Amino acid sequence: MAHRVNFNKVPKLNELGYDNSTRIIFRANNGVCLYSYALSYRGAQKVLRWQNKVQKFEPIDIGIGYQCRDDTNFKCIAVFPQLVDSHKSAGRASRDSDIATYDPTQMREKGYTQNIVRSTRLNVDNLMQGGRAAKVEDQWSDLPQLTMPRRTRFE
């Protein structure tokens, strides 16, 4: 599925026995590029304590990734596909990053949000006008339409 991207590798859900409309939940370790994360009060205390003890300061996503990998008392849970990811707006591709180089003439006709089927950014007008009855459009037409959430289990 061309719209599924990841900095490491994209899990092939069908090879794991799931269909491509499945979201998997797993124990994470050494993740980077956190677009969002949630901490309990005790989890926040553990992060502050851990970050206070490290010898080399790293960006917070790398520091939390190391803590997920190395601290047996710190539990990290993640999902794939992600709930939050990068949005690439319509217009000049050079606006995407200040650390990458782009052809200044490269233009994107339509915006997209990686790994997100029903992008809030792309549906914001419909959501603001329609409330709960809003028509929310999928970004990709090759995905099966789900009528209701499926049960999940965590192992």
Side-chain angles (χ1 to χ4, degrees):
M1 301 178 93
H3 55 277
R4 292 233 172 120
V5 297
N6 203 333
F7 291 108
N8 188 4
K9 61 181 185 174
V10 176
K12 292 183 172 41
L13 297 177
N14 56 350
E15 291 178 10
L16 297 171
Y18 303 106
D19 64 34
N20 278 319
S21 63
T22 302
R23 176 167 278 123
I24 56 175
I25 302 168
F26 60 95
R27 290 200 185 269
N29 64 13
N30 206 17
V32 296
C33 295
L34 296 173
Y35 295 107
S36 66
Y37 59 95
L39 295 167
S40 65
Y41 181 74
R42 285 187 31 91
Q45 289 175 319
K46 289 178 183 181
V47 167
L48 291 173
R49 195 172 301 115
W50 180 273
Q51 294 298 312
N52 190 47
K53 290 192 276 185
V54 297
Q55 299 298 313
K56 180 182 175 195
F57 293 104
E58 301 282 358
I60 192 64
D61 61 330
I62 294 172
I64 289 176
Y66 289 163
Q67 187 171 2
C68 292
R69 182 190 68 195
D70 299 335
D71 183 354
T72 57
N73 293 314
F74 192 66
K75 294 179 182 72
C76 299
I77 299 170
V79 297
F80 184 84
Q82 296 90 308
L83 300 172
V84 177
D85 210 323
S86 291
H87 179 76
K88 308 295 184 183
S89 296
R92 288 191 327 267
S94 61
R95 298 184 316 174
D96 291 349
S97 173
D98 60 356
I99 60 174
T101 57
Y102 293 90
D103 175 352
T105 63
Q106 183 181 358
M107 298 293 282
R108 186 176 299 112
E109 228 177 277
K110 183 177 180 185
Y112 67 94
T113 306
Q114 297 174 158
N115 295 312
I116 307 297
V117 176
R118 294 172 185 96
S119 168
T120 301
R121 291 280 303 260
L122 296 175
N123 281 292
V124 72
D125 289 337
N126 292 346
L127 292 168
M128 296 296 287
Q129 294 173 4
R132 290 180 155 232
K135 179 180 182 326
V136 178
E137 296 178 19
D138 292 352
Q139 290 190 88
W140 299 282
S141 60
D142 63 335
L143 297 175
Q145 297 297 310
L146 298 178
T147 54
M148 60 187 303
R150 298 183 183 177
R151 290 183 175 256
T152 60
R153 61 186 163 90
F154 183 73
E155 297 174 1

